[in-house]
Amino acid sequence: MSDIETTTVCEEGYACTSQVGDFDLQIDATDETGPNPNAALVATYASCFIPAFRVGGGQRGEDDLGKVQIDASAELDDDDDLASIAFDLHVEADLDDDTAAELVERGEDICHVHSAVREELQADIAVHSDAF
């Protein structure tokens, strides 16, 4: 049994609903009924990085970071694939440059999405035709 299992359904068009545990997640390639897959990935990356940054802070004695916000931006290539992602990370706590750099590095080590965007972890795709 897998550690994570989801079911994604598309009845027609380009909008999909994924069942993730007890939650429905709407992703729409046309941005009409939900975010597109690239935007969802960037938001997921930021949503993973903030807790990783907080854990890294706790491990380095920075237990009270206060509010943390990421303003993420991404660039697409000519095929609408993600070409780059940038985070502007805003932290309520007053951190010196060295501490901030250390917490970012630790966050990168902890963040599961950061690790997953490596080339060697790209999806292994199996196609099952005429499945319905």
Side-chain angles (χ1 to χ4, degrees):
M1 177 141 212
S2 301
D3 292 322
I4 298 171
E5 294 183 4
T6 68
T7 301
T8 301
V9 177
C10 179
E11 297 290 340
E12 62 182 346
Y14 303 103
C16 298
T17 301
S18 294
Q19 184 72 37
V20 183
D22 293 332
F23 303 97
D24 287 338
L25 178 62
Q26 185 77 28
I27 306 288
D28 185 346
T30 61
D31 285 310
E32 291 178 20
T33 62
N36 69 64
N38 285 331
L41 177 62
V42 172
T44 298
Y45 194 174
S47 296
C48 185
F49 193 83
I50 287 176
F53 184 82
R54 285 189 182 280
V55 168
Q59 292 173 343
R60 301 298 190 258
E62 296 290 338
D63 296 319
D64 189 14
L65 295 173
K67 180 179 178 178
V68 179
Q69 174 180 321
I70 290 176
D71 294 329
S73 60
E75 298 296 325
L76 302 175
D77 64 17
D78 291 338
D79 294 321
D80 287 334
D81 294 328
L82 285 169
S84 66
I85 298 172
F87 287 165
D88 284 324
L89 179 64
H90 304 273
V91 182
E92 186 173 358
D94 185 15
L95 303 174
D96 62 52
D97 290 344
D98 289 340
T99 300
E102 185 178 343
L103 297 188
V104 165
E105 183 177 331
R106 188 66 190 125
E108 290 172 339
D109 290 341
I110 295 169
C111 178
H112 303 297
V113 176
H114 183 81
S115 297
V117 294
R118 295 183 315 224
E119 182 178 318
E120 62 266 25
L121 293 178
Q122 291 177 345
D124 181 13
I125 301 170
V127 177
H128 303 277
S129 297
D130 201 26
F132 302 99

